Amino acid sequence: MTARKARAVPAIGDREEEKSMSQVLPIPACLSRGTASVRACLLFLTVATAFLARSSDAQTTGLPLPEGATLREVFDSVRSNSPLLGAAKARVRAAQGGISSARTWSNPVVSFESEQMTEQGHATGPSQRETMTTAMLPLEPIFQRGPRTRRAQALTRASEADVLTERQQLALDAADAFYQVALAQVNVTATRSLAQWFDTVVTYNSVRVREGVTAEADLIRSQLERDFVLNELAMAESELARAEADLQTFVGRASSSTVFHVRIDSLPLDAAITVRVDPISRPEIEAARQRLLASEAATAAEKRMFLRELGTMVGIKNSGGSGSLVTGFTLPFPLLDQNRGNVATARAERDVAHFELEQEQRKANAEVFGAERAARILTQRVASFGSGRVGYLARAEDARRIALGAYREGGTSLLQVIDAARAWREARSSYFETLFAQHLAVIRLLVAEGVDVLDVWPRTPVGENQ
């Protein structure tokens, strides 16, 4: 009779049920219990159905690929429609306008004078009219044009380097947001699977309690554990929602009805990501170098401001029916203002630019050194996880399966089963957290070496879809 009862007990942790966890909802055993339990289960089914409906809507209204967005697609969106990149490019156009201004001559100054003269004592006699028309051309642009042009060109090149810097920073921020969504998806999937698995444990213990095979303590404990996991599932889903909102700022899909998922790679990245690119100079260093050149040109321009308002004049004077040619020039004497203050300021700003360039070089060297070490450490750690039937995740699955089998045979307690189940979920979270950290470490290494990640990132996934 005991054997017949054992055959009537449903199986726990069926693999086929686990594979279909994102499409099928289990029917809670508490529907067969009291009214309060029925209401609670109906509420659970309502929430779960809404979540599945949201997931189904995400596949139709999210990114084009039904299996989710890849990091390459996120990078393409950042490159094509990022407002920050648009602002950086607009600053380049503004700097180019400075070149045009530096090369333009100052406007000439035209003056006209008219004087009516009468002889003394002959107010009613004929009067004479004297007119003079002159045009003055400032000569300051002649000796200021070179330094000003060099300064404007250097600032333009610095702005172009700032565009590359902005691209690199956006790539890092977008990748970080992408993997935050990926990790949140892993946690949600694992927690939902654990909740469904505990629901089968509740169903199993409900049957055993009704048949008098086991005490009700195991049923209550399994129900409490399932409810606790459901709370964790709600927290994980809220974290996923926030992570998706952060990622939407990079892809330009801020609609409240738009929800999408990402495609996750389950293999570590190679340091070269299958694309061999010769590293270029760090854009931050190039921008600092160009700003140093601009400050040196500004210093030269201030030194040439020793003579200001230098100009030449030419005109025609007409007096009493006779005309004459008038020429001259203006030459201020620098007795009081010799522009020493502006020259000192320009020299100090040049020194600031020099120190900033040195700091950028030190920072770049340190970032390359740290990124190489971090990528190497995490790559070695991910490689130690193994794969297939002998890997880290496979061992966690085997431990849970063995604990379940022992519990069904009466060879272990419910607490040991709960511990094995939680260890399985923690193993998945730990594995993917380390894996995604390794992905980000490789991306940071590429950025530290001056590689434009938005351009060279491969379009095909480097690992298997999870």
Side-chain angles (χ1 to χ4, degrees), residues 26-35 37-42 45 226:
I27 299 179
C30 55
L31 287 176
S32 61
R33 298 177 63 84
T35 304
S37 298
V38 171
R39 292 177 179 177
C41 290
L42 289 177
L45 287 175
R226 180 196 58 191

Side-chain angles (χ1 to χ4, degrees), residues 345-416:
T345 301
R347 287 176 176 173
E349 292 178 350
R350 180 193 60 189
D351 294 339
V352 170
H354 176 76
F355 290 131
E356 289 179 348
L357 173 59
E358 184 179 355
Q359 177 62 27
E360 288 295 339
Q361 291 174 339
R362 292 184 181 183
K363 180 181 177 182
N365 294 333
E367 287 181 354
V368 171
F369 177 74
E372 287 178 347
R373 292 188 61 188
R376 186 183 308 112
I377 293 171
L378 291 173
T379 300
Q380 292 174 353
R381 183 55 193 162
V382 173
S384 67
F385 282 144
S387 60
R389 301 183 58 85
V390 296
Y392 178 69
L393 296 181
R395 290 194 297 270
E397 177 64 30
D398 291 340
R400 185 176 69 158
R401 178 177 52 81
I402 293 172
L404 288 174
Y407 179 67
R408 290 168 58 185
E409 299 295 333
T412 187
S413 64
L414 179 62
L415 294 180
Q416 291 176 319

Side-chain angles (χ1 to χ4, degrees), residues 238-249:
S238 66
E239 291 294 333
L240 176 59
R242 284 192 289 266
E244 289 174 344
D246 292 338
L247 184 58
Q248 284 176 347
T249 61

Side-chain angles (χ1 to χ4, degrees), residues 14-276:
D14 197 322
R15 286 182 178 270
E16 294 182 357
E17 179 183 8
E18 182 179 347
K19 291 180 180 179
S20 60
M21 61 184 178
S22 60
Q23 290 83 16
V24 181
L25 283 175
I27 299 179
C30 55
L31 287 176
S32 61
R33 298 177 63 84
T35 304
S37 298
V38 171
R39 292 177 179 177
C41 290
L42 289 177
L43 178 61
F44 165 74
L45 287 175
T46 303
V47 174
T49 304
F51 177 81
L52 290 180
R54 190 190 75 165
S55 300
S56 176
D57 180 69
Q59 294 181 352
T60 57
T61 62
L63 294 176
L65 293 180
E67 62 271 20
T70 62
L71 185 58
R72 174 71 264 176
E73 292 171 334
V74 174
F75 282 165
D76 288 341
S77 179
V78 170
R79 185 174 54 179
S80 61
N81 59 18
S82 173
L84 295 178
L85 272 184
K89 294 177 181 178
R91 284 190 286 270
V92 173
R93 296 195 300 271
Q96 291 172 346
I99 298 178
S100 177
S101 299
R103 292 175 175 174
T104 303
W105 286 80
S106 299
N107 294 321
V109 179
V110 179
S111 63
F112 173 79
E113 298 180 6
S114 177
E115 183 179 357
Q116 194 77 19
M117 297 183 300
T118 58
E119 294 183 3
Q120 186 177 3
H122 299 81
T124 59
S127 60
Q128 294 182 353
R129 184 182 181 187
E130 184 176 296
T131 61
M132 185 172 61
T133 303
T134 61
M136 189 180 73
L137 182 66
L139 299 180
E140 182 179 326
I142 294 179
F143 56 88
Q144 290 289 350
R145 188 172 186 269
R148 289 179 178 177
T149 301
R150 291 196 301 271
R151 180 176 182 271
Q153 290 174 342
L155 291 178
T156 300
R157 291 190 294 268
S159 299
E160 293 172 349
D162 288 338
V163 173
L164 297 178
T165 302
E166 191 67 38
R167 285 169 62 93
Q168 300 289 59
Q169 187 59 47
L170 284 173
L172 288 177
D173 294 341
D176 184 70
F178 177 88
Y179 285 113
Q180 287 293 333
V181 173
L183 184 59
Q185 285 182 191
V186 169
N187 291 334
V188 167
T189 302
T191 307
R192 186 186 298 118
S193 175
L194 190 62
Q196 293 172 344
W197 182 85
F198 273 118
D199 194 73
T200 61
V201 175
V202 170
T203 304
Y204 175 81
N205 286 329
S206 297
V207 175
R208 290 173 62 89
V209 168
R210 285 198 302 268
E211 295 179 355
V213 177
T214 187
E216 194 174 0
D218 282 357
L219 175 60
I220 297 175
R221 183 67 177 86
S222 59
Q223 288 175 337
L224 290 175
E225 192 66 26
R226 180 196 58 191
D227 295 339
F228 181 76
V229 173
L230 288 177
N231 293 337
E232 291 183 330
L233 176 60
M235 295 296 295
E237 289 176 349
S238 66
E239 291 294 333
L240 176 59
R242 284 192 289 266
E244 289 174 344
D246 292 338
L247 184 58
Q248 284 176 347
T249 61
F250 295 97
V251 299
R253 304 177 69 91
S255 174
S256 58
S257 60
T258 301
V259 178
F260 59 88
H261 297 284
V262 300
R263 195 191 311 176
I264 305 170
D265 295 331
S266 62
L267 297 178
L269 288 178
D270 179 34
I273 59 170
T274 69
V275 178
R276 297 296 177 181

